[in-house]
């Protein structure tokens, strides 16, 4: 089994790479000779592995899209498959926060500046938008 330690080693194996859609993510399969074999890349081209944006799976997704591949579906408004990179309230870096995660809302997160308060402000804004749309359609 190949333990690819550099992006160049991964690039040599990209011809064998399979990119598919799984939920709201790209699923990248580097094949049995590469470890780790499977990666999940979000619509913002961040891998869920510790390498994040610098993971070679991101390059595989870029090549997949350049060749005409389809993107994964857009998640519903207010659902976060992964924590956002930046807080939607103030733009500061946001980080994953397990205690705020749910099946309905997706990945929980908190803001590096505003903490969980900004998470709840965002949730309130999303609900307000939902209800205003619902009542304007009546």
């Amino acid at each position: 089994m190949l333990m690819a330690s550099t992006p160049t080693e991964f690039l040599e194996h990209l011809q064998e790479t399979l990119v598919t859609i799984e939920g709201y993510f790209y699923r990248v399969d580097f094949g049995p000779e590469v470890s780790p074999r499977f990666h999940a890349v979000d619509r913002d081209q961040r891998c869920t592995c510790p390498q994040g944006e610098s993971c070679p799976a991101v390059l595989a997704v870029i090549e997949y899209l350049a060749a005409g591949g389809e993107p994964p579906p857009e998640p519903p408004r207010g659902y976060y498959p992964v924590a956002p990179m930046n807080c939607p309230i103030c733009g500061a870096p946001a980080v994953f926060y397990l205690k705020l995660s749910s099946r309905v809302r997706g990945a929980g997160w908190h803001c590096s500046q505003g903490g969980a308060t900004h998470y709840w402000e965002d949730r309130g804004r999303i609900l307000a938008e939902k209800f205003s749309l619902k009542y304007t359609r009546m």
Side-chain angles (χ1 to χ4, degrees), residues 1 22 27 30 35 39 42 50 62 68 82-83 86 88 98 109 112 126 134 137:
M1 181 176 293
E22 190 170 296
R27 181 177 189 256
F30 284 119
S35 179
H39 291 254
D42 68 13
I62 291 169
V82 294
N86 298 310
L98 180 61
W109 55 270
S112 61
I126 290 164
K134 183 178 180 179
R137 291 183 191 165

Side-chain angles (χ1 to χ4, degrees), residues 45 59-70:
Q45 297 181 347
L59 180 58
V61 167
I62 291 169
E63 290 184 1
Y64 162 83
L65 291 171
E70 292 293 318

Side-chain angles (χ1 to χ4, degrees), residues 1-4 9-10 13 30-39:
M1 181 176 293
L2 173 67
M3 298 294 288
E9 289 182 42
F10 276 111
H13 296 282
F30 284 119
E33 70 282 353
V34 177
S35 179
R37 177 178 179 169
F38 299 103
H39 291 254

Side-chain angles (χ1 to χ4, degrees), residues 53-134:
E53 297 152 344
S54 61
C55 178
V58 172
L59 180 58
V61 167
I62 291 169
E63 290 184 1
Y64 162 83
L65 291 171
E70 292 293 318
E74 190 74 45
R77 172 81 175 111
Y79 182 83
Y80 291 95
V82 294
M85 289 182 67
N86 298 310
C87 172
I89 301 298
C90 72
V95 294
F96 175 72
Y97 188 56
L98 180 61
K99 290 183 179 182
L100 293 176
S101 297
S102 83
R103 289 184 179 180
V104 174
R105 298 183 308 269
W109 55 270
H110 67 90
C111 173
S112 61
Q113 298 294 314
T117 301
H118 282 190
Y119 172 84
W120 291 113
E121 282 182 41
D122 183 54
R123 299 303 320 160
R125 187 171 62 183
I126 290 164
L127 286 172
E129 288 174 13
K130 258 187 188 175
F131 283 114
S132 70
L133 287 176
K134 183 178 180 179

